[in-house]
Every structure is written in C-alpha cells, then in structure tokens.
C-alpha cells in the first residue's frame, strides 16, 4: 500500500521509550550522590538520570530495571541505554546489559489536507471514536498492529506504536481512510 | 391445569387432590400421580411476626445450569450476589436518573446496559458510581437527550475525564455506536436556562441558525459543543435585544470566558459576521471556511517563511555593510600616522606574548617551569588543563624523561588527557577504578568476541562500541564533589531521613517484642487519643463516639462508682427488671460468682437503678475502668440479643414464671454487685444495652 501520491509524507519520530535490565541490584543513593544530572526520588524509589548526548532521561530502579525515554530513534535509544549502563558500570556496579526492548514509539505526521472527523468516525465505527467533550481528536485503534492514531481536524496525526515499523504501517493503513473524508480546501 | 388422559382407560376425567397430592382417574380409579409437587407459594412467620414468602427469586437471565453444591458452590453464592449487584445498580440508576429528569424508558434502557456490563465482568475494578454514570450517559447519547457528561460529573463530583474513560471503554466493549454530539441539541436547554421569557423560541431558532453556520464554517470539529452553543446564544440574545452578559452565559453553558471569547473572535473572522441581522436571517452564504486551527497553522507557517526571508535579506545587507566597513578601515589605516623606530618594536612584541598566552600547552617541557605561573593564572578555569598542569608538575618533579611529554603540539592535548586520566586513577585507587580496570578487560574481550548489535539476550555484556568513555566520565563526580553533594542532599532530605530512621527503630522494637507484622498497611478505623482530665471525662468522650446507648443515664452510673449508699426507691418496671435479670442470668452462667446478701435492699436498689437508667436522659460518664469492660460486655450482649429468636413479648410473658427464680440469681448478682461494684454496674449497663436495643427494635 503506497501512501504517498506526489509528496512523501514525513513521519517524524518524537519519542522512543525503551527498557532494559542490569541484572544486578543498584544502590540508588550511590548513584544519586556520585552522578551529575540525577534526581533522586526516595518516596517513589527511583533515580532520574539525564544524558546529554542522546537527549535521554532514564528512570532507574533499585531492582536494576531501567526505563529510557526521550530518544528520537530506535538506534539512539539503544546507544543511550548502553551509555547509561556504562556510566553505572563506572560507578561500581556489576552491570550487565540485558533484555533491551523498545516499548513505545511516538511519531507525528501531517496530512496536506484537513479531515472531517465526524464522517471519519461514522465510516469507521467502532475502530474510530470521537468525543469532542473529552478530546479534540478522533482516536483510531488498529488492533493487530497495536497502534493508536489520533487524528485532528487540521489533518495532523499522532501515532503511537510498539516500534517504528508498526507506526509507518499504521500511517499507511489510515491514509486512504483519511483521504476519503478530507475536507475540500477553500480560500 | 391441563387435563391429561388416563393411561389405563383413556378417560380424561382426572381428579387432582392438592391436599393429598395425588391425581386419580375417576373412571377407572388408577392413581396416576402420587406426591404431586405443589407449585404454590408458602409463607413463613419471621421474627417480629412478619410473614414472608419462602424461596428466592430466580432471574431469567441468571445462570442456566442449576448450581451444583460443592464444585459449583461459588456460582450459587455468586448468583445471589449478582442479584444484589443488579438490585443495587438499579437503585442507583433510578436515583441518578431522576436527578437528571430522565424518563422511565431511558432508565430501563440504562439498566439493561448495566446488566450487560455486569455480565461481561466490566464492573470489576471500577466504582459502581462511575459505571452507572457511564450507562446513563450512553442512554443519553443514544436517545439524543441534551445531557452533557459534564452534568453527570457535576452530580457525582467526579473528574469528567475519568467518567469519559469509563464511558469510552463501555461503549467499545458493548459495541454501542453512540452518534456524535450535535451542538444543536443543547440550544433549547441552554436557552431555557437563560430565561428569555416569551421569546425563547425565537432566540433558540436564531441560535440554531448560527450554530449551523458555524458548522459549515468548520468551527465545530474538535471543540466542545457547549462552547459553540454559548457563543451562538450570546449573539442571538444580543440580536433580539436581550442583555445577557458573558458571565451569565458561561454560568449556564459551563465553559470559561477565554473559550467564549475565542469562539466569538473566530466567528468574527468568518464572512458571515459581516452580514446584518436581517441579511443573516434570509441569506445563506455559499462559501465555506477552513477550520480556524488550520488557518492559524497556515498563518504561522507564513510568518515563519517571512521571517526566514527577512533573515536572508538581513544577511545580505550585513554582507554589504561589512564590505563597506573593511574598505573604510583600510582607508583609515592608510591615513593613520605610522610608528617608526622604537615604537615599531613594541607593536611587534605584542604578538609572541599573545601566542604564548593562547597556547595552553607549552611546546617543550623545559619551558614548563618558567611558564608554570603563567599557566596557572591563564588556564586555571579550564579543569582539564588544570589537571594536566598538575600532572605536568608531577612529571617534572618525578619523571623527567617521560615519553608522553613529547613536544608535539597536536597530539599534546589528547595525550595529556589520557595521561591525566590514568594518573588520576593511579593516584586515587578506589574500588571503582579497580573494578573499572577489570570490566575494561572483560568488556574488551567480550567486545572482540561478540559483535552482536542485535537484541539477543545471550550477550549480556555491555557492548562498548560507539561509547565515548571520557564523555561518560564527565557524568561521574569526583570525590570532593561527591562530598559536597552528599552534604547538600542530606540537608535537603533531612525530614525524610528522619522518618525512615524512626520507622526502622519502630520496626526493630516491634521485632524484639515479637509483635512485628509485615506490612501493617491495614487502615483500621482511626482511634485518635481521647484526651481528658479525669477518667470520667474520658469515658464520656469515648461513649460519645461509641454510641452505646442513648437511654442510659450515665450520671447514675457515675454515682454508682462513687457512692454506694444511695437512697432506695420503689422498684418499677418489673418486666424490664426480670428481662434484665434474665440477661444477667445468662451471663451469670459465664461468670462464676457466689455470694449471699440481703435481698430486699438490693432488689430495691437494682430496681431504682433500672428506673433511673430507663427514665432519665443519657449522660455519658463512666470510669475508665469500666470503659473497656463495657465494650467487651456490650459485644457479649450483642450475641445473646442476636441469638434470641423469641420476641421480647415472649420474655415478658415468661416473666411471671421466672419471677420466683429471679430472687435466687438476684442474690448472687447483688452480692457481686456489692463486692465488685464496677463489674456489676458494667453488667447493668451491658444489660441495659441489650434492653435498650430491644426497646429500639420495638
């Protein structure tokens, strides 16, 4: 299914969330006291560590599970995660890099036309749902891809999925449906 | 009753006797049925003389299979609770629906939705309130009533988004496609609330036209319908010369001022706003508009483009300006008088000095000593250079012929840094560095071994490719900084640390005592400390909270403890006393006591006490000693009260036979009373508690 007609649609990935495990117990206090760019939250029980090179924020738990957010691509997420593990290694923990998994990818895309949300929802019930009282966008959930697309009336889309491939496929899937319900441009 | 045919003779005249439960053929006399199952309703007399029907309600949509006892035990219990849940739900729906003024048909539909929801187990983990609100809102949407989710959330005082979440989930699970909200639905309702009097209908009509126009101008997608209605109504009101301020409208419509103003300005931007009132009512413009956010985005894009162009132009202009600047300067220099002789030498000297300052690393180690001071001053603020300089000093002192200190300017920087790194680590041998060295080696070996960039869980060693170690070192503070940070952190989180310490101490203490329970997270009813000056006050307050009985005269109780020689009065209320005696009797069996005392005085005292207790208003004063016992005694009395199946009338009837027996147990009680007044007074209260309960039942 080729989505683009003349112009290619730019799908910009804005956020990639990944998790991995260090397979060893981490002493949060040590990390908090010996690291730069760390925020210690003892009530919740985690440490937030921010890296600069890939702009990444990581939540570190004492069990050794780490969630890495803020990367702009899957590779960057992995690089950032490895850097983080290296940093923890240098602090003295026997860190092992295991179970790295990209959990969530958030991407933004813009259609060159505006979309009539009411028609779009009508044609695609019950996959699509639109509640103007709650949220200005119509939500379209693709079950087999496990992706969620939020369509705004201006034609911009927000897509979330488990990996980048799914996100691209989701956009391709939804494009023809949106094209049908596009709002004819005027002025 | 269908008349059946006799099997033996074929006759259809069959006599069914309900009393005997048999069906007999009258022609041949053969018994067709014995022990007929009667399907009549039976009644049973319950406590209090109330007769109730025997049996349970079996709902049509309950479990089809007959519940088996044992394996299917939970189904039978679950079914009962299911019926209860549905009943409860129905009640709540009725309550909420009546507040929203929904008609019975809507409420029934809502109840059907609720039944569906319960059968799909969607109520688990959700508050029944939320589920019910969602069901009602579903009905509102399908029926098209002018109710907003906001109304429901107002009634329940729940966040509208939480309700929305539940509503969306239910709609999805029940596959109910609720039609989209049309702002036109709300207009009559809001118009009515704004009180336009006789002209309400006209104003609504105008407002409707306005809303339709807005729809065509694409102002309504993605917006709350109530906001649009508010704007439309405001304009319509003004058109019909009604004075409705923005505040009135937002009070009715439930949006904020900013939103309303924004809608009005958006409407202003459309060409329709240019028409006069009459024109608007007659003419409908063909032209449609783009949605306002779309135009806003386009506007932004345009502005950005313009800015870019401007910036480009600026650059060009700047370029030209700099050209002119250079030319002017060269001209000026030419015209400037030149220094000759000694002064020329001075101007030249400036350069090598500058260079020396600019170069952070000296080209030769021999120059180190001489330029040490200069270096210190010039590069003090650069940490790396500072470190390198420190290293240099060391090297100069220690190792003169260090091959690293080669006079190579280009490689100087990184070499020095590498040297500084290892020497720093050499200077401060910490576990970190040791393990670091180890991990370095291990990671090196593993790196060479496995070049797995994929996510195979087998390679758990950290792949160091592409990781700049030095950069990562910047993320780790050195010792001094760690100290500072530790201090700061301790100061900041002093409270939290204190709490943790106290908690730990508490746990340790309890461990010693052996009463330590893991995870004492049970939120038992808060028993805040009762502060009182005297014991009597304490009891008073406790009883206020405990609410044992409102009919006890606590004054008397208080007096009981203090004075034993209280004047006697004639005993009244023999049934009560005997009843109380009966209670006492029962408890007598539990508490062993034997004492003999003068009966008359005691009975009179008892009687007086009872009368006191019954007649006067309650005052809650008791000794602290009695407090605890009261509690336990009361609880004990509850059980006898509950187990008692016979109504008090019976006990009253039995008073006469018990009367003769009463004195003997009375004796014992009296004795105990005299000896341990606290206990007996307690019993009294406890008994009286029972008594009072009974009276309350009446």
């Amino acid at each position: 299914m080729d989505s683009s007609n003349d112009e290619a649609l730019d799908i910009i990935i804005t956020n990639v969330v990944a998790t991995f495990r260090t397979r060893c117990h981490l002493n949060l206090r040590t990390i908090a006291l010996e690291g730069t760019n760390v925020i210690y939250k003892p009530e919740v029980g985690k440490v937030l560590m921010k890296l600069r090179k890939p702009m990444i924020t990581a939540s570190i738990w004492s069990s050794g599970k780490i969630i890495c957010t803020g990367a702009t691509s899957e590779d960057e997420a992995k690089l950032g995660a490895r850097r983080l593990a290296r940093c923890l290694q240098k602090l003295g923990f026997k860190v092992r890099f295991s179970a790295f998994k990209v959990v969530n990818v958030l991407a933004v895309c813009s259609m060159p036309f505006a979309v009539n949300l009411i028609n779009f929802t009508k044609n695609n019930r019950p996959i699509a749902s639109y509640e103007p009282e709650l949220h200005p966008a119509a939500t379209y959930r693709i079950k087999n891809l496990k992706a969620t697309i939020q369509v705004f009336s201006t034609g911009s889309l927000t897509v979330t999925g488990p990996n980048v491939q799914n996100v691209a496929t989701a956009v391709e899937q939804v494009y023809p449906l949106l094209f049908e319900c596009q709002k004819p441009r005027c002025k | 009753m269908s008349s059946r045919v006799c099997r033996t003779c074929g006759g259809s005249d069959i006599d069914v006797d309900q009393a005997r439960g048999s069906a007999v053929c009258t022609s041949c006399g053969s018994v067709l049925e014995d022990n007929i199952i009667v399907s009549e309703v039976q009644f049973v007399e319950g406590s209090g003389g109330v007769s109730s029907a025997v049996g349970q309600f079996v709902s049509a949509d309950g479990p089809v299979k007959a519940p088996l006892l044992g394996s299917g035990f939970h189904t039978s219990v679950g079914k009962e609770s299911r019926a209860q849940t549905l009943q409860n739900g129905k009640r709540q729906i009725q309550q909420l629906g009546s507040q929203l003024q929904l008609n019975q048909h809507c409420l029934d539909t809502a109840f059907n939705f609720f039944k569906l929801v319960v059968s799909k187990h969607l109520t688990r983990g959700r508050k029944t309130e939320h589920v019910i609100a969602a069901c009602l809102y579903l009905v509102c949407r399908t029926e098209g009533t002018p109710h907003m989710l906001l109304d429901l959330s107002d009634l329940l005082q729940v966040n509208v988004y939480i309700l929305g979440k539940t509503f969306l989930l239910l709609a999805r699970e029940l596959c109910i496609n609720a039609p989209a909200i049309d702002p036109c639905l709300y207009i009559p309702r809001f118009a009515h609330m704004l009180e336009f009097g006789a002209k309400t209908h006209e104003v609504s009509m105008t407002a409707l036209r306005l809303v339709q126009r807005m729809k065509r101008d694409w102002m309504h997608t993605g917006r709350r319908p109530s906001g649009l209605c508010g704007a439309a109504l405001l304009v319509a009101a003004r058109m019909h010369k009604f004075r409705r301020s923005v505040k009135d409208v937002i009070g009715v419509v439930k949006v904020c001022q900013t939103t309303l103003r924004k809608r009005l300005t958006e409407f202003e931007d459309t060409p329709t706003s240019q028409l006069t009132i009459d024109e608007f009512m007659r003419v409908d413009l063909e032209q449609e508009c783009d949605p306002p956010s779309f135009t806003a985005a386009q506007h932004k894009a345009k502005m950005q483009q313009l800015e870019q162009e401007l910036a480009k132009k600026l650059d060009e202009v700047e370029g030209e300006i700099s050209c002119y600047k250079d030319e002017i300067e060269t001209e000026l220099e030419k015209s400037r008088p030149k220094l000759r002789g000694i002064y020329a030498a001075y101007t030249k000297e400036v350069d090598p000095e500058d260079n020396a300052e600019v170069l952070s690393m000296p080209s030769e180690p021999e120059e180190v000593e001489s330029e040490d001071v200069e270096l210190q001053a010039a590069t003090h603020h650069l940490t790396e250079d500072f470190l390198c300089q420190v290293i240099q000093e060391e090297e100069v002192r220690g190792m003169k012929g260090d091959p690293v200190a080669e006079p190579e300017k280009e490689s100087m920087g990184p070499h020095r840094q590498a040297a500084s790194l290892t020497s720093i680590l050499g200077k401060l041998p910490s576990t970190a560095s040791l393990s670091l060295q180890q991990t370095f080696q291990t990671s090196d070996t593993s790196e060479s071994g496995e070049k797995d960039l994929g996510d195979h869980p087998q390679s758990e060693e950290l792949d160091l490719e592409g990781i700049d170690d030095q950069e990562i070192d910047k993320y780790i503070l050195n010792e001094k900084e760690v100290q500072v940070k530790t201090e700061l952190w301790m100061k900041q989180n002093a409270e939290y640390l204190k709490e943790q310490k106290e908690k730990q101490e508490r746990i340790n203490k309890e461990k010693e005592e052996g009463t330590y329970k893991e995870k004492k997270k049970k939120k038992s009813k808060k028993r805040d400390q009762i502060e009182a000056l005297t014991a009597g006050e304490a009891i008073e307050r406790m009883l206020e909270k405990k609410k044992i009985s409102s009919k006890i005269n606590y004054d008397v109780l208080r007096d009981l403890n203090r004075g034993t020689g209280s004047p006697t009065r004639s005993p009244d209320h023999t049934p009560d006393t005997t009843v109380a005696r009966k209670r006492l009797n029962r408890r007598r069996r539990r508490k062993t006591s034997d004492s003999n005392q003068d009966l008359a005085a005691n009975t009179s005292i008892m009687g007086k006490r009872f009368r006191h207790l019954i007649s006067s208003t309650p005052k809650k004063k008791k000794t602290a000693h009695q407090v605890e016992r009261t509690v336990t005694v009361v609880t004990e009395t509850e059980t006898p009260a509950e187990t008692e199946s016979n109504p008090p009338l019976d006990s009253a009837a039995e008073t006469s036979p018990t009367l003769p027996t009463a004195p003997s147990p009375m004796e014992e009680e009296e004795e105990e009373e005299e000896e341990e007044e606290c206990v007996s007074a307690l019993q009294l209260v406890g008994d009286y508690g029972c008594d009072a309960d009974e009276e309350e039942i009446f």
Side-chain angles (χ1 to χ4, degrees):
Chain A
M1 235 197 279
D2 200 2
S3 60
S4 53
N5 304 329
D6 305 313
E7 339 90 41
L9 279 173
D10 285 328
I11 305 179
I12 305 166
I13 301 179
T14 51
N15 190 18
V16 175
V17 179
T19 60
F20 69 96
R21 290 207 215 156
T22 58
R23 289 270 181 216
C24 78
H25 200 268
L26 299 172
N27 186 350
L28 294 183
R29 207 179 268 203
T30 327
I31 302 175
L33 294 176
E34 293 183 17
T36 43
N37 306 331
V38 286
I39 305 170
Y40 185 23
K41 294 199 171 177
E43 312 89 33
V44 189
K46 68 180 180 187
V47 165
L48 288 174
M49 189 161 191
K50 300 198 191 209
L51 257 61
R52 275 201 208 108
K53 221 1 174 8
M55 214 26 133
I56 265 178
T57 309
S59 304
I60 306 170
W61 274 267
S62 57
S63 61
K65 293 202 183 162
I66 300 181
I67 297 185
C68 210
T69 60
T72 51
S73 80
E74 284 185 354
D75 293 327
E76 221 186 77
K78 183 139 200 197
L79 178 68
R82 284 192 289 127
R83 280 204 176 179
L84 195 66
R86 184 78 178 116
C87 186
L88 290 175
Q89 221 174 39
K90 290 204 169 178
L91 282 174
F93 302 105
K94 290 216 178 106
V95 161
R96 297 200 291 172
F97 191 73
S98 82
F100 176 82
K101 186 174 180 220
V102 168
V103 172
N104 191 22
V105 172
L106 176 78
V108 172
C109 183
S110 190
M111 300 279 137
F113 46 80
V115 178
N116 183 348
L117 292 180
I118 298 184
N119 283 359
F120 176 69
T121 346
K122 252 194 250 178
N123 297 348
N124 298 307
R125 291 232 191 92
I127 314 176
S129 94
Y130 171 50
E131 276 305 309
E133 281 189 79
L134 295 173
H135 192 59
T139 325
Y140 187 87
R141 283 177 214 269
I142 305 178
K143 238 184 177 175
N144 52 352
L145 288 176
K146 286 192 244 174
T148 306
I149 305 176
Q150 292 192 331
V151 185
F152 290 85
S153 62
T154 54
S156 14
L157 309 180
T158 307
V159 195
T160 59
N163 56 47
V164 180
Q165 193 53 46
N166 278 26
V167 162
T169 323
V171 174
E172 285 183 15
Q173 257 192 30
V174 98
Y175 182 88
L177 303 167
L178 291 174
F179 194 78
E180 281 174 16
C181 317
Q182 72 176 280
K183 198 203 136 320
R185 286 261 242 110
C186 45
K187 272 196 188 170
Chain B
M1 285 240 279
S2 60
S3 53
R4 290 162 7 240
V5 181
C6 172
R7 266 170 266 146
T8 40
C9 67
S12 57
D13 198 6
I14 297 172
D15 173 38
V16 180
D17 192 355
Q18 294 291 351
R20 273 197 234 118
S22 56
V24 180
C25 169
T26 45
S27 41
C28 67
S30 54
V31 176
L32 297 166
E33 264 184 54
D34 213 356
N35 295 325
I36 296 178
I37 294 169
V38 177
S39 59
E40 283 175 1
V41 187
Q42 285 189 334
F43 290 93
V44 143
E45 207 171 354
S47 60
V50 177
S51 43
S52 53
V54 173
Q56 302 170 348
F57 260 117
V58 181
S59 67
D61 48 9
V64 182
K65 294 186 289 180
L68 311 154
L69 288 175
S71 60
F73 181 66
H74 89 282
T75 26
S76 69
V77 172
K79 194 178 160 226
E80 265 224 64
S81 101
R82 172 69 59 89
Q84 257 186 331
T85 319
L86 290 176
Q87 220 177 13
N88 189 24
K90 186 163 187 117
R91 194 169 29 91
Q92 286 195 5
I93 287 175
Q94 296 279 359
Q95 205 181 356
L96 210 52
S98 61
Q99 279 178 305
L100 289 169
Q101 286 134 18
L102 287 171
N103 58 21
Q104 194 53 41
H105 168 69
C106 293
L107 296 179
D108 289 337
T109 323
F111 184 56
N112 283 334
F113 285 153
F114 184 69
K115 274 197 270 186
L116 275 172
V117 166
V118 169
S119 65
K120 285 200 171 192
H121 307 293
L122 293 171
T123 47
R124 290 243 182 96
R126 289 192 181 89
K127 289 204 170 162
T128 324
E129 269 185 351
H130 298 349
V131 175
I132 294 215
C135 291
L136 278 168
Y137 188 58
L138 263 174
V139 168
C140 290
R141 281 289 282 273
T142 48
E143 300 284 321
T145 62
H147 288 102
M148 299 192 287
L149 198 57
L150 263 175
D151 302 329
L152 276 169
S153 83
D154 262 346
L155 279 175
L156 290 176
Q157 296 290 308
V158 171
N159 187 357
V160 72
Y161 293 108
I162 297 178
L163 283 183
K165 212 172 160 190
T166 320
F167 162 71
L168 282 174
L169 189 103
L170 289 190
R172 208 169 354 134
E173 292 298 319
L174 299 177
C175 302
I176 295 171
N177 298 325
I181 304 174
D182 199 358
C184 305
L185 283 175
Y186 296 133
I187 298 270
R189 177 185 159 195
F190 291 141
H192 185 73
M193 296 209 321
L194 280 171
E195 293 170 9
F196 290 119
K199 278 189 146 192
T200 310
H201 183 70
E202 287 178 33
V203 177
S204 335
M205 288 279 92
T206 322
L208 268 170
R209 262 186 86 89
L210 279 164
V211 169
Q212 278 165 6
R213 184 65 232 169
M214 282 184 195
K215 273 207 241 178
R216 251 181 288 125
D217 286 335
W218 287 88
M219 270 174 64
H220 78 300
T221 5
R223 271 82 187 279
R224 287 235 179 112
S226 42
L228 288 170
C229 293
L233 273 169
L234 189 63
V235 175
R238 294 278 166 82
M239 278 163 76
H240 287 268
K241 301 191 179 47
F242 278 103
R243 275 192 177 198
R244 294 284 179 271
S245 69
V246 173
K247 268 194 189 165
D248 298 332
V249 175
I250 58 177
V252 162
V253 160
K254 297 181 197 162
V255 287
C256 76
Q257 254 194 21
T258 333
T259 316
L260 202 61
R261 288 240 169 79
K262 194 150 184 245
R263 300 283 170 271
L264 289 170
T265 41
E266 283 171 5
F267 190 59
E268 215 178 320
D269 289 335
T270 65
T272 317
S273 60
Q274 306 301 322
L275 303 172
T276 67
I277 297 177
D278 292 326
E279 280 178 7
F280 175 70
M281 298 306 282
R282 281 182 279 121
V283 177
D284 229 355
L285 286 178
E286 285 299 319
Q287 207 182 9
E288 291 183 1
C289 300
D290 285 328
S293 39
F294 193 69
T295 42
Q298 279 192 325
H299 192 63
K300 230 200 242 177
K302 241 196 227 174
M303 291 294 286
Q304 271 185 353
Q305 228 185 345
L306 272 173
E307 270 179 30
Q308 274 179 2
E309 281 178 24
L310 265 174
K312 251 194 245 170
K313 281 197 185 155
L314 267 172
D315 283 336
E316 288 172 25
V317 170
E318 268 185 26
E320 285 182 29
I321 290 175
S322 57
C323 277
Y324 292 140
K325 209 167 131 192
D326 289 338
E327 279 181 27
I328 291 169
E329 283 201 1
T330 45
E331 285 293 326
L332 277 174
E333 281 213 16
K334 281 184 200 165
S335 52
R336 213 187 278 156
K338 286 211 175 144
L339 295 164
R340 287 187 192 111
I342 326 161
Y343 305 111
Y346 276 138
T347 51
K348 276 186 199 162
E349 260 183 46
V350 178
D351 300 326
E353 276 184 29
D354 282 332
N355 288 337
E357 280 176 14
V358 162
L359 272 179
S360 50
M361 302 310 150
S363 46
E364 282 130 5
E366 289 88 341
E367 288 183 14
V368 166
E369 288 153 313
S370 56
E371 298 198 20
D372 238 352
V373 182
E374 268 190 35
L375 261 180
Q376 273 189 5
T379 64
H380 190 66
H381 59 284
L382 297 166
T383 48
E384 292 166 356
D385 300 328
F386 182 58
L387 279 170
C388 291
Q389 187 222 326
V390 168
I391 301 308
Q392 278 171 37
E393 287 177 351
E394 291 267 342
E395 285 171 6
V396 162
R397 279 181 233 144
M399 328 164 268
K400 267 271 179 171
D402 202 18
V404 178
E406 229 24 79
E408 283 178 352
K409 250 191 276 172
E410 293 86 38
S411 56
M412 192 59 61
H415 270 241
R416 287 252 179 241
Q417 286 188 12
S420 61
L421 190 69
T422 45
S423 48
I424 284 176
L425 290 172
K427 266 194 280 178
L428 321 162
S430 57
T431 50
S433 63
L434 284 174
S435 58
L436 175 75
Q437 302 256 349
Q438 286 170 12
T439 49
F440 241 118
Q441 286 156 13
T442 52
S443 54
D444 278 339
T445 50
S446 67
E447 197 184 19
S448 56
E450 300 148 302
K451 276 276 177 179
D452 253 26
L453 277 173
D455 18 3
H456 289 293
Q458 298 154 351
S459 62
E460 289 192 344
E461 290 303 327
L462 191 56
D463 189 3
L464 287 175
E465 194 179 297
I467 297 179
D468 192 8
D469 270 346
Q470 283 152 11
E471 202 204 320
I472 291 194
D473 280 334
K474 290 185 202 167
Y475 286 119
I476 304 177
L477 308 169
N478 61 16
E479 253 199 15
K480 235 191 192 178
E481 291 172 341
V482 169
Q483 273 179 14
V484 173
K485 191 161 183 190
T486 320
E487 271 182 50
L488 272 172
W489 192 86
M490 289 295 179
K491 259 192 234 171
Q492 235 180 6
N493 298 4
E495 274 181 37
Y496 175 76
L497 288 169
K498 227 199 302 177
E499 272 177 46
Q500 292 295 82
K501 241 199 252 174
E502 282 171 13
K503 193 177 175 190
Q504 200 55 39
E505 281 172 20
R506 213 181 348 120
I507 292 175
N508 288 339
K509 225 196 280 179
E510 282 175 356
K511 269 192 179 151
E512 282 169 34
E513 288 173 19
T515 61
Y516 178 57
K517 280 188 227 163
E518 290 272 347
K519 287 197 179 171
K520 273 190 181 174
K521 281 194 181 172
K522 248 203 306 185
K523 281 191 184 171
S524 56
K525 231 166 64 171
K526 268 196 181 172
R527 289 194 171 195
D528 25 37
Q529 295 291 326
I530 304 169
E531 290 172 335
L533 294 168
T534 67
E537 247 186 284
I539 299 163
E540 204 181 346
R541 291 205 193 148
M542 185 231 73
L543 283 174
E544 261 171 19
K545 289 186 191 168
K546 270 280 172 174
K547 296 182 194 162
I548 290 179
S549 173
S550 56
K551 295 187 174 128
I552 300 179
N553 181 6
Y554 292 95
D555 263 341
V556 179
L557 283 176
R558 203 189 342 147
D559 290 337
L560 278 178
N561 227 5
R562 293 189 203 148
T564 50
S566 19
T568 62
R569 271 184 238 176
S570 55
D572 293 337
H573 298 271
T574 33
D576 299 299
T577 55
T578 48
V579 163
R581 279 175 207 164
K582 206 181 165 206
R583 291 299 137 63
L584 284 171
N585 239 342
R586 231 177 276 129
R587 213 138 357 79
R588 201 58 23 244
R589 283 179 213 128
R590 285 190 216 140
K591 298 176 186 171
T592 55
S593 65
D594 33 37
S595 43
N596 291 308
Q597 276 216 313
D598 189 27
L599 191 64
N602 293 332
T603 41
S604 57
I605 292 169
M606 277 283 259
K608 173 228 37 169
R609 279 175 194 159
F610 282 133
R611 213 200 52 169
H612 263 280
L613 294 173
I614 296 163
S615 49
S616 35
T617 51
K619 274 191 199 166
K620 298 141 190 174
K621 284 191 182 176
K622 269 171 96 184
T623 58
H625 182 56
Q626 289 171 344
V627 165
E628 287 168 71
R629 296 218 200 167
T630 323
V631 174
T632 52
V633 161
V634 165
T635 51
E636 277 178 283
T637 54
E638 299 299 341
T639 42
E642 284 167 357
T643 52
E644 182 193 48
S645 52
N646 303 322
L649 284 171
D650 289 342
S651 71
E654 286 174 281
T655 48
S656 31
T658 55
L659 257 171
T661 58
S664 38
M666 276 304 293
E667 285 184 69
E668 304 172 357
E669 288 146 11
E670 305 302 35
E671 275 207 28
E672 248 226 12
E673 215 182 302
E674 291 295 325
E675 287 180 356
E676 304 168 28
E677 271 190 32
C678 312
V679 178
S680 53
L682 246 140
Q683 283 168 15
L684 274 175
V685 173
D687 283 347
Y688 205 77
C690 265
D691 212 88
D693 282 333
E694 279 203 6
E695 285 191 19
E696 283 159 21
I697 291 170
F698 271 112

